[in-house]
Amino acid sequence: MLFNLSILSLMLGFFFANILSTIPAQTGDWSVVSSSIIITLNELINKFIYTKKNINEFLILKLINNIKIGIIYGLFVDAFKLGS
């Protein structure tokens, strides 16, 4: 069950990355603002998660971390699609 939730949260993060990279970039002037918001939220989540001594006790923290990893992975995939 935990493995299924982890994979689902990872794919949810990948889906959020596609949303975050396409919707604000339609106007062209929101790319800097949206990227700074994404980086700030990423760093805040990192600070909160990795200051805990045992992350394995909290299921919600693992799911949030997997969503964060999915967002980062999705943004890298979008960057490679734009670069080619």
Side-chain angles (χ1 to χ4, degrees), residues 44-62 64-65:
L44 287 174
I45 290 171
N46 281 340
K47 181 181 177 185
F48 183 72
I49 287 177
Y50 292 118
T51 56
K52 298 290 182 190
K53 290 193 181 219
N54 195 359
I55 191 175
N56 293 329
E57 292 179 3
F58 303 106
L59 178 65
I60 192 73
L61 289 179
K62 287 184 78 168
I64 289 172
N65 195 29

Side-chain angles (χ1 to χ4, degrees), residues 18-32 34 82:
N18 287 328
I19 291 172
L20 291 172
S21 66
T22 56
I23 291 175
Q26 292 295 320
T27 59
D29 57 347
W30 284 97
S31 59
V32 174
S34 63
L82 292 175

